[in-house]
Structure formats: C-alpha cells, structure tokens
Amino acid sequence: MSAPRAVRVLVAEASSPFRDALTGLIAADPGFEVVAIAGRGLEAAALARELRPDVLTVDLDMPAADGFAAIARVMAETPTPILVLTANPVEAVGFRALSLGALDLLAKPGPREGLEAFGAQLRARLRLISGIRVIRHPRGVRDAAPTPAPRAAARRELVVIGASLGGPRALATVLKALPPEFPAPIAVVQHIAEGFTDGLAGWLAQESRLDVATARDGELLRPGRVLLAPSGRHLVVQRPGVARLSDAPPLDTFRPSVTPLFRSAAEAYGPRACGVLLTGMGRDGADGLLALRDAGALTVVQDEATSAVFGMPRAAIELGAAERVLPLGEIAAALLEEVR
C-alpha cells in the first residue's frame, strides 16, 4: 500500500529568518512538502497559480503587495486554503484576512517561546485546513440581500450563535446585516486560537453596527450587544439576562464549547431563544441545538453551499436539531423576523 500523499505547502513570509524556520518546522514532518517559498505577496499569488499547493501560510506584513493583497488574489484566481500567521493576535486587523477568504489565524511565536511546540501546532492546523474545499472569493462581491423569513408567533428575547472553522467571516456576514437597535442580546461561541478573541471582537465591532465585546462573568445581556466567549472558558446564560463564565471541563474537546451555551439558553429562555449553528468541523453544538429545539426555541443551521466546513451544521441536521437550514445571507433576516 502506497503512503498517503504529502500535504503540499506554499510559505509566504517577509522575514527571511522566520521563513527559514517555518520551512524547517513544516518539512520536519514527512507528511508535508514545502513546494515553494515567497517573500512578497504578488510572488506568492503567482506561485499559487503555477504550483497549486494544498495550503498556504501567509504573513500579513509583506512588502510591495502585502499579505492582504496576496490573499485576495489567490482567492479570486486559484482558491486555496490559507492559514494566516500574525504577530498581533489581539489586533482586529488580522481578521480582515478572513473576510478576504483566508480560513484560519495562528499567532507567531514570541521571542521566548519554543519553536517545537509552535511547529506541532502549525502542522496540526495546516493538516486540518488542507483538505477543506474553499470557493472562489472575488474581491468586492457583496453577499446577496437576505430574504424575509416567516414571522414568529412570539417574540424571541435571546440569540445564541456557535461557529468554528470559517466562522469569523460567517459571523461578520450575519452581524453586519443586523441594525444597531437589534432588540435582543446575542451570545456567541467561536472556536478560535488562544489570544484571538479580543481581536475578533474588535473586528466584528468594525464590521457591524452592533456593540461587540468579550464576555465578562456576571455581565448583563443587553439588546444590540454581542458577547463572545473568552479563550479557555465556557459562556453560559442565566435569567434574568446574565452572562456567566465557567471553568467546567472541555466538551467535544472544546472550551469554550457551543453546547453549554445552547443548553443554558434552552433552560433559561426556552421558546424565547433563537439558536444558530454556523460553519465548522466536528459536531460541537449539535446536542445543544437539539436541547433548544426541544425547548421550543427557533433553531437555524447554515446550509452546505455557503459553509466553509459543513461538519457542525450537518451533525445538527442528522440529529434532528435544525428547524431551518438557510444560506448564510438569509440568516440575519430570519433573526430579525423572530425578535421584532
């Protein structure tokens, strides 16, 4: 039996020393092959077009045509899974790369961090995203306007959202279609690398007209405010409208996990809640969405055609947890109809 084909990686990095280190860390595993390296954005895009790698690593701070331009060109010409490497995980700027079509973010190691642990994390992330189907992402193309959903019989008072791989862009699409006076609070669990939550909150606040922040224990849930689960802690909700943080063990390998948030919303709000499960790998959130549906809440999952990864939505559908399966561009309209 022949060995599995190595994952073919194109490395785009401005710093020559770090470029060499990346190449060595990736090539240390025989399951990977570095097919090319580039120090400039346009060079990276041209090499991707010529060599068709399985996955790219992209530095955002490259000269001439920077990493953003490289991502935009690759996703418009030869769509390929892209892992963005950034030295500033707390800044919102890195999430702009996800809006251009990159799949995931990873923080570069600091000067005192060991490269061995970073290399293992890097290879795991590259292996994960290398097999994901990505779609062409022409620059400047807007999402289609959402179509109205049927009006609910009773007003919903809370929206809970779960997402994983591909989620930041999907979250931005939903939130930017909601008005600043959105009449219900929104609580979100997004699986993301350690240290990136505050940057994600800042970016979503820029992309939308809503008040977005990382959740604090005991914080009140307010209409028009979006609270994100912080790194390493579960986010749950209580009546009357209080967010709580939990150090309970990981669930489905995640902390924060989507399911505790959904289950707490089912218990505290019942039919007055809306649960939304967006793109992501695995099955986190499926059991929680079923608890919401059993409690009479509206349950929505993103459809396969618009999902970067259909794992989490598919698991919820197979469990019978999804009341509606909607394209990404129609989810905001469904929520608006439910909370008005």
Side-chain angles (χ1 to χ4, degrees), residues 2-340:
S2 60
R5 185 176 70 86
V7 176
R8 302 172 67 251
V9 185
L10 193 160
V11 172
E13 168 62 45
S15 164
S16 179
F18 191 60
R19 193 163 61 232
D20 292 343
L22 275 178
T23 302
L25 290 170
I26 295 168
D29 186 324
F32 292 89
E33 176 190 1
V34 177
V35 295
I37 57 174
R40 294 174 179 266
L42 288 180
E43 180 188 7
L47 286 168
R49 189 170 57 248
E50 175 188 352
L51 299 174
R52 304 298 175 107
D54 298 315
V55 63
L56 279 76
T57 69
V58 174
D59 173 22
L60 294 182
D61 191 25
M62 290 187 290
D66 64 13
F68 296 109
I71 292 166
R73 179 160 293 191
V74 168
M75 296 310 296
E77 296 176 347
T78 52
T80 308
I82 294 175
L83 176 65
V84 171
L85 301 180
T86 175
N88 300 301
V90 298
E91 294 185 1
V93 65
F95 291 91
R96 180 184 159 208
L98 302 189
S99 71
L100 294 171
L103 270 180
D104 205 1
L105 295 161
L106 184 64
K108 292 181 178 180
R112 297 182 180 179
E113 295 179 55
L115 284 179
E116 184 175 344
F118 171 75
Q121 188 179 18
L122 171 68
R123 292 188 297 269
R125 200 69 60 85
L126 289 173
R127 185 174 285 110
L128 175 68
I129 72 171
S130 64
I132 293 173
R133 172 190 60 85
V134 293
I135 60 174
R136 192 173 302 277
H137 192 77
R139 290 160 288 179
V141 174
R142 296 177 179 267
D143 292 313
T147 56
R151 181 173 292 275
R155 180 180 176 273
R156 314 287 181 169
E157 299 175 7
L158 174 72
V159 175
V160 286
I161 302 176
S164 189
L165 200 58
R169 179 171 172 263
L171 276 171
T173 299
V174 172
L175 296 183
K176 71 184 179 184
L178 299 177
E181 65 276 9
F182 187 71
I186 302 173
V188 177
V189 169
Q190 165 67 59
H191 300 157
I192 199 161
E194 181 80 24
F196 279 95
T197 306
D198 288 344
L200 174 60
W203 177 68
L204 290 173
Q206 294 173 7
E207 290 288 300
S208 72
R209 295 169 291 170
L210 301 170
D211 180 13
V212 186
T214 303
R216 295 173 297 178
D217 188 44
E219 189 168 359
L220 295 180
L221 299 166
R222 295 189 278 108
R225 183 164 174 80
V226 182
L227 295 181
L228 303 183
S231 297
R233 305 192 76 185
H234 295 301
L235 172 64
V236 297
V237 298
Q238 293 180 341
R239 292 284 291 175
V242 178
R244 302 308 303 264
L245 301 180
S246 165
D247 294 319
L251 189 62
D252 290 320
T253 74
F254 294 105
R255 190 171 67 191
S257 164
V258 179
T259 286
L261 173 62
F262 283 7
R263 284 178 174 163
S264 69
E267 182 176 346
Y269 284 79
R272 294 182 296 277
C274 296
V276 180
L277 196 58
L278 300 174
T279 173
M281 185 171 288
R283 57 165 288 110
D284 187 29
D287 293 332
L289 200 69
L290 182 61
L292 277 167
R293 186 167 192 185
D294 288 344
L298 171 71
T299 57
V300 177
V301 302
Q302 185 178 352
D303 72 355
E304 184 171 11
T306 62
S307 294
V309 186
F310 195 52
M312 285 163 51
R314 186 195 302 278
I317 292 169
E318 291 175 347
L319 200 60
E323 181 179 342
R324 301 186 197 171
V325 180
L326 297 177
L328 181 62
E330 296 184 12
I331 292 174
L335 296 177
L336 279 168
E337 290 297 322
E338 293 287 333
V339 301
R340 281 176 178 163

